[in-house]
Tab-separated table of all heavy atoms in Angstrom:
chain	number	residue	atom	x	y	z
A	22	ALA	N	193.940	19.671	50.242
A	22	ALA	CA	194.167	18.263	50.425
A	22	ALA	C	195.649	17.866	50.395
A	22	ALA	O	196.114	16.927	51.046
A	22	ALA	CB	193.371	17.501	49.203
A	23	GLY	N	196.453	18.643	49.562
A	23	GLY	CA	197.837	18.294	49.383
A	23	GLY	C	198.597	18.508	50.703
A	23	GLY	O	199.617	17.884	50.960
A	24	MET	N	198.235	19.387	51.542
A	24	MET	CA	198.908	19.795	52.745
A	24	MET	C	198.434	18.907	53.881
A	24	MET	O	199.019	18.928	55.057
A	24	MET	CB	198.755	21.220	53.157
A	24	MET	CG	199.537	22.182	52.156
A	24	MET	SD	201.296	21.612	51.844
A	24	MET	CE	201.991	21.785	53.455
A	25	LEU	N	197.337	18.123	53.789
A	25	LEU	CA	196.806	17.289	54.862
A	25	LEU	C	197.780	16.235	55.235
A	25	LEU	O	197.905	16.002	56.446
A	25	LEU	CB	195.520	16.654	54.382
A	25	LEU	CG	194.255	17.541	54.307
A	25	LEU	CD1	192.956	16.790	53.826
A	25	LEU	CD2	193.942	18.142	55.699
A	26	PRO	N	198.436	15.604	54.400
A	26	PRO	CA	199.506	14.616	54.912
A	26	PRO	C	200.589	15.256	55.740
A	26	PRO	O	201.111	14.616	56.720
A	26	PRO	CB	200.146	14.131	53.528
A	26	PRO	CG	199.198	14.338	52.520
A	26	PRO	CD	198.522	15.615	52.864
A	27	ALA	N	200.988	16.491	55.468
A	27	ALA	CA	202.015	17.199	56.401
A	27	ALA	C	201.296	17.455	57.686
A	27	ALA	O	202.041	17.225	58.725
A	27	ALA	CB	202.326	18.510	55.681
A	28	ALA	N	200.041	17.876	57.775
A	28	ALA	CA	199.430	18.085	58.984
A	28	ALA	C	199.252	16.857	59.808
A	28	ALA	O	199.489	16.892	60.962
A	28	ALA	CB	198.069	18.816	58.814
A	29	TRP	N	198.986	15.831	59.084
A	29	TRP	CA	198.799	14.518	59.779
A	29	TRP	C	200.177	14.039	60.437
A	29	TRP	O	200.349	13.541	61.500
A	29	TRP	CB	198.292	13.462	58.855
A	29	TRP	CG	198.108	12.088	59.459
A	29	TRP	CD1	198.751	10.915	59.012
A	29	TRP	CD2	197.277	11.702	60.529
A	29	TRP	NE1	198.432	9.903	59.735
A	29	TRP	CE2	197.437	10.224	60.714
A	29	TRP	CE3	196.357	12.332	61.385
A	29	TRP	CZ2	196.800	9.524	61.635
A	29	TRP	CZ3	195.744	11.621	62.367
A	29	TRP	CH2	195.975	10.205	62.445
A	30	ALA	N	201.228	14.180	59.579
A	30	ALA	CA	202.563	13.818	60.090
A	30	ALA	C	203.028	14.682	61.285
A	30	ALA	O	203.587	14.105	62.117
A	30	ALA	CB	203.629	14.060	58.863
A	31	VAL	N	202.759	15.910	61.330
A	31	VAL	CA	203.021	16.808	62.415
A	31	VAL	C	202.262	16.323	63.590
A	31	VAL	O	202.872	16.311	64.700
A	31	VAL	CB	202.801	18.292	62.010
A	31	VAL	CG1	203.007	19.195	63.345
A	31	VAL	CG2	203.809	18.723	61.015
A	32	TRP	N	201.049	16.105	63.388
A	32	TRP	CA	200.208	15.584	64.541
A	32	TRP	C	200.734	14.271	65.103
A	32	TRP	O	200.802	14.165	66.276
A	32	TRP	CB	198.792	15.331	64.080
A	32	TRP	CG	197.930	14.665	65.000
A	32	TRP	CD1	197.511	13.346	65.037
A	32	TRP	CD2	197.272	15.278	66.248
A	32	TRP	NE1	196.735	13.038	66.106
A	32	TRP	CE2	196.512	14.209	66.854
A	32	TRP	CE3	197.363	16.556	66.812
A	32	TRP	CZ2	195.781	14.498	68.043
A	32	TRP	CZ3	196.667	16.768	68.004
A	32	TRP	CH2	195.865	15.711	68.588
A	33	LEU	N	201.124	13.286	64.279
A	33	LEU	CA	201.722	12.051	64.751
A	33	LEU	C	202.966	12.303	65.542
A	33	LEU	O	203.235	11.715	66.603
A	33	LEU	CB	201.851	11.125	63.592
A	33	LEU	CG	200.736	10.413	62.837
A	33	LEU	CD1	201.181	9.717	61.685
A	33	LEU	CD2	199.989	9.670	63.885
A	34	GLY	N	203.793	13.238	64.960
A	34	GLY	CA	205.074	13.476	65.711
A	34	GLY	C	204.843	14.095	67.028
A	34	GLY	O	205.559	13.908	67.999
A	35	ALA	N	203.796	14.933	67.245
A	35	ALA	CA	203.529	15.589	68.404
A	35	ALA	C	202.867	14.766	69.447
A	35	ALA	O	202.898	14.981	70.624
A	35	ALA	CB	202.635	16.907	68.159
A	36	THR	N	202.239	13.743	68.948
A	36	THR	CA	201.454	12.804	69.836
A	36	THR	C	202.081	11.440	70.067
A	36	THR	O	201.467	10.530	70.631
A	36	THR	CB	200.042	12.642	69.402
A	36	THR	OG1	200.079	12.046	67.982
A	36	THR	CG2	199.318	13.988	69.351
A	37	GLY	N	203.318	11.300	69.571
A	37	GLY	CA	204.054	10.000	69.844
A	37	GLY	C	203.716	8.930	68.860
A	37	GLY	O	204.030	7.828	69.158
A	38	GLY	N	203.241	9.361	67.750
A	38	GLY	CA	202.750	8.320	66.786
A	38	GLY	C	203.932	7.988	65.723
A	38	GLY	O	203.655	7.222	64.781
A	39	LEU	N	205.109	8.534	65.878
A	39	LEU	CA	206.178	8.249	64.945
A	39	LEU	C	207.279	7.500	65.564
A	39	LEU	O	208.415	7.537	64.970
A	39	LEU	CB	206.722	9.550	64.287
A	39	LEU	CG	205.600	10.379	63.430
A	39	LEU	CD1	206.225	11.667	62.954
A	39	LEU	CD2	205.206	9.490	62.289
Side-chain angles (χ1 to χ4, degrees):
M24 292 308 298
L25 287 178
W29 178 244
V31 171
W32 171 258
L33 289 177
T36 57
L39 292 180

